[in-house]
Amino acid sequence: MLSKGLVLLGAGVLGRRIACTFVAAGYSVNIRDPSKDARDGAIEYINSHKDEVSALSKGKRTYGHYAAFEDMESAVRDAWLVIEAVPEKLELKIDTFGELDKKAPADCILSSNSSSFKSRFIIEQVRHQRRSQVLNIHFTMPPTIRTVELIFIFNRLWAAVKGEILTILADEVSEPAEIDKLWDQMFKNRLPPYKLIDQTNLDTVAFIEDNYIEERNLDGSLTVDWPRNNYIKEGRLGSKSIKGGLYPPPPPPACGPSLYFLNVGLGGNCPEVSLASQNGKIICKTPYGTSTTLLTALNCPDGIDIAPSEGRMFWTNMGRHTSTFDGSVLSAKLDGSNVKTLIEPGKVHTPKQLVVDESSLKTGDVNTVDKQDMTRWCVGIGLDKNAGKIYWTQKGPSKGGKRRIFRANIEIPSGETASNRSDIETLFENLPEPIDIKFEPETQTLYWTDRGEYPVGNTLNRANVGSPTTSEKVRKLEMLARHFHEPIGLKLDPRHNHVYVTDLGGTVYRFNLDRTDKTVVHSDDGCYTGITLAF
């Protein structure tokens, strides 16, 4: 604890709170106020609140000594810092600092907690040689609001807000309760102002401000003209610009991927379920965090993958309903242009997830069978090119717990057909509802999403499947993450130790492969299915 004390001049609402803050931090504090009621109230406030304030800081501290005084000289005799918190009247503050100059020690720092008067306006009676020791120290409202300013930044902002809300009242446009309710709804747990402007984007904000300037006959030289000249002309528009806006663009992760994911069309922006078949989208999110809708009006897209060497993406459309048989498979460039239909609607039933093998990009005759037997509907597919194997999940009744995961050779055994081939292995049975599936060859690990019922459904899972001879009894299923909203899409990023998952609740997640760092990388009112990555 310092041998010299700290002094608060004024025991009112702010003075007693500032004093309590320093007492709780271990400083000795003298409080000076000519009113006995104010002095007693300040001491009672510190007695009642010092424990609460102390709990806000780290570690345990010994409380500082505190006392209240009526006369100035006794209070400031041994002070190293004086904080003036008297009423906001300039003449009173000038007289107070004149008295302080005479009675406080020569090396004492003199400060004002004024919320509007700069220190240069209150030093009229302070000797010239001491004026360099006078400054503003403005506490907002401790301990609830713990900001302290040496120059007026927030108060300048707050002055504009106060002026406008008082004008609203004077113009009889609204009333205090309504304005407070609007403020609470707009700003509770919301972005701070400059981040909000960047999210809205500066060019949009500029157009809005132009309207205010014309309507109110304002001067735009210090408002809208400044961002136009310093940001908008340079292409720094905000979140939609790779150059950033008021904030610089976030650095992309090292060689981080762009995400391509599908909105099946059943999200919050779809007014009726019957319109979902016209509402599907392909969305790209760059490492900078910028999202772009590449294609719209898709017929319930479900699976997507990319062929980097071709610069193209491939996706499935499930179609309107299992009874309509209008599924299809399409392709486009990575910017959404040059769309091509690979499998026409009606040639497949409800195509789900897909994987691209760039070594054998080709299409042939397509025929869908088993349209009525749900236990034979395939959903997710994974590829082990090194071993020449494919893995897939197979559907059953919704939430029926009868789903399975299979493995077979990519090539059908000689003399056999898809219907009678003998190389199909059942790896797992009676799963809740496995959907998308991916194989990681280095660790021989199979990953899959499961949208079944809680507690083992709505999860991300994995299992080491090892060699084809490994027994199911020694295959250990590991739940990597849970509590999704019907997870669908899955994509591995082994080079960055990540796995991405989408769910029908409108969220794209990223995890480390060691189960840590669950991160929401995109979330809105969409309804997301397949996902893939482009580097």
Side-chain angles (χ1 to χ4, degrees):
M1 185 183 298
L2 297 173
S3 58
K4 289 189 173 184
L6 179 147
V7 177
L8 258 296
L9 300 184
V13 172
L14 268 174
R16 63 185 62 179
R17 283 166 169 78
I18 299 169
C20 185
T21 299
F22 280 100
V23 168
Y27 292 88
S28 292
V29 177
N30 289 345
I31 304 169
R32 187 265 175 173
D33 198 295
S35 167
K36 184 178 186 304
D37 288 343
R39 295 195 303 272
D40 292 345
I43 296 299
E44 176 59 29
Y45 180 88
I46 296 173
N47 290 339
S48 302
H49 291 83
K50 60 186 178 182
D51 291 344
E52 169 194 338
V53 176
S54 180
L56 298 173
S57 62
K58 296 180 179 179
K60 294 183 179 180
R61 300 173 184 243
T62 301
Y63 295 134
H65 172 77
Y66 52 100
F69 296 83
E70 179 179 1
D71 67 294
M72 174 86 74
E73 187 170 359
S74 300
V76 304
R77 183 179 295 118
D78 296 316
W80 68 274
L81 171 65
V82 174
I83 301 174
E84 168 269 309
V86 303
E88 199 77 348
K89 298 178 180 179
L90 182 58
E91 295 79 7
L92 176 60
K93 291 181 183 291
I94 290 173
D95 291 343
T96 298
F97 273 82
E99 186 177 1
L100 275 175
D101 183 36
K102 296 173 183 176
K103 297 179 178 178
D107 61 350
C108 181
I109 299 169
L110 310 180
S111 68
S112 174
N113 187 58
S114 174
S115 59
S116 60
F117 295 119
K118 297 179 177 65
S119 60
R120 66 174 180 269
F121 297 133
I122 58 180
I123 58 174
E124 183 179 313
Q125 297 179 21
V126 177
R127 289 169 294 170
H128 285 277
Q129 62 268 32
R130 193 172 190 172
R131 291 182 178 181
S132 62
Q133 295 169 234
V134 181
L135 74 157
N136 287 94
I137 302 180
H138 180 251
F139 293 76
T140 305
M141 185 61 74
T144 308
I145 306 174
R146 289 174 275 171
T147 55
V148 181
E149 294 184 298
L150 302 185
I151 58 174
F152 295 136
I153 299 174
F154 184 80
N155 270 34
R156 179 174 173 175
L157 169 63
W158 182 233
V161 173
K162 283 189 294 185
E164 187 60 31
I165 61 176
L166 291 174
T167 301
I168 290 172
L169 292 180
D171 290 343
E172 298 183 347
V173 174
S174 186
E175 58 186 21
E178 186 175 55
I179 295 172
D180 283 348
K181 184 177 181 180
L182 286 169
W183 182 281
D184 183 63
Q185 291 295 318
M186 284 296 299
F187 297 111
K188 178 186 280 186
N189 301 321
R190 294 293 295 271
L191 290 172
Y194 289 121
K195 288 185 177 179
L196 184 59
I197 288 175
D198 266 357
Q199 188 180 70
T200 307
N201 290 298
L202 280 163
D203 53 347
T204 301
V205 171
F207 290 138
I208 295 169
E209 291 303 311
D210 285 340
N211 180 51
Y212 292 150
I213 289 168
E214 181 177 355
E215 180 184 352
R216 302 180 185 182
N217 195 28
L218 302 175
D219 179 8
S221 60
L222 293 178
T223 55
V224 70
D225 292 350
W226 183 82
R228 276 205 171 101
N229 293 330
N230 292 277
Y231 289 86
I232 297 173
K233 285 183 178 180
E234 297 179 6
R236 297 162 63 188
L237 305 179
S239 61
K240 70 181 180 183
S241 171
I242 61 172
K243 295 182 179 180
L246 298 171
Y247 280 85
C255 301
S258 290
L259 312 182
Y260 286 75
F261 51 100
L262 304 175
N263 185 339
V264 73
L266 286 166
N269 66 336
C270 183
E272 297 180 20
V273 174
S274 61
L275 300 177
S277 61
Q278 308 166 29
N279 199 42
K281 300 177 179 66
I282 298 179
I283 300 166
C284 175
K285 186 157 191 169
T286 70
Y288 291 97
T290 303
S291 297
T292 304
T293 299
L294 301 177
L295 289 168
T296 61
L298 303 182
N299 192 357
C300 300
D302 192 62
I304 186 169
D305 204 3
I306 283 174
S309 64
E310 300 290 324
R312 297 188 68 85
M313 55 184 171
F314 301 78
W315 73 94
T316 63
N317 289 333
M318 293 185 292
R320 288 173 293 166
H321 191 269
T322 57
S323 62
T324 57
F325 306 136
D326 58 345
S328 58
V329 180
L330 298 94
S331 173
K333 290 184 178 181
L334 296 183
D335 62 1
S337 64
N338 191 226
V339 177
K340 296 181 179 180
T341 299
L342 304 181
I343 302 177
E344 295 179 356
K347 292 291 187 69
V348 287
H349 187 199
T350 53
K352 301 289 187 178
Q353 301 299 313
L354 84 166
V355 62
V356 172
D357 179 7
E358 290 192 89
S359 64
S360 57
L361 281 174
K362 59 184 179 182
T363 59
D365 293 333
V366 178
N367 184 33
T368 299
V369 296
D370 298 317
K371 295 179 181 178
Q372 305 303 325
D373 186 356
M374 295 179 67
T375 64
R376 304 190 69 164
W377 289 0
C378 303
V379 182
I381 184 169
L383 186 64
D384 179 5
K385 291 191 293 184
N386 296 334
K389 298 287 182 180
I390 54 173
Y391 295 81
W392 71 95
T393 60
Q394 202 149 299
K395 191 175 176 63
S398 181
K399 312 298 183 185
K402 295 183 179 181
R403 311 302 176 92
R404 296 170 289 175
I405 296 178
F406 297 90
R407 173 171 57 193
N409 296 316
I410 294 176
E411 299 296 332
I412 298 176
S414 177
E416 299 181 358
T417 67
S419 299
N420 64 14
R421 63 189 298 171
S422 59
D423 62 336
I424 298 176
E425 302 173 70
T426 302
L427 300 180
F428 302 104
E429 293 185 290
N430 301 319
L431 299 175
E433 195 171 347
I435 303 293
D436 202 1
I437 191 169
K438 294 294 181 286
F439 180 77
E440 204 292 297
E442 185 174 337
T443 61
Q444 295 286 292
T445 301
L446 202 60
Y447 292 79
W448 67 92
T449 52
D450 194 307
R451 61 175 289 196
E453 294 287 1
Y454 292 102
V456 291
N458 276 284
T459 54
L460 171 63
N461 308 272
R462 69 181 172 192
N464 186 288
V465 292
S467 68
T469 59
T470 301
S471 169
E472 181 182 348
K473 293 181 179 180
V474 298
R475 293 191 185 108
K476 181 180 179 181
L477 277 68
E478 180 183 8
M479 187 184 297
L480 287 178
R482 56 187 298 275
H483 202 62
F484 296 98
H485 299 284
E486 304 214 31
I488 302 293
L490 167 67
K491 191 66 176 180
L492 300 176
D493 178 12
R495 72 178 74 178
H496 296 112
N497 193 41
H498 289 156
V499 56
Y500 292 85
V501 174
T502 61
D503 71 17
L504 298 182
T507 303
V508 181
Y509 298 92
R510 185 186 66 220
F511 301 83
N512 290 337
L513 291 177
D514 64 1
R515 306 173 63 173
T516 62
D517 195 24
K518 179 180 181 180
T519 302
V520 173
V521 296
H522 186 90
S523 182
D524 56 23
D525 64 351
C527 187
Y528 296 122
T529 51
I531 184 170
T532 191
L533 311 176
F535 294 90

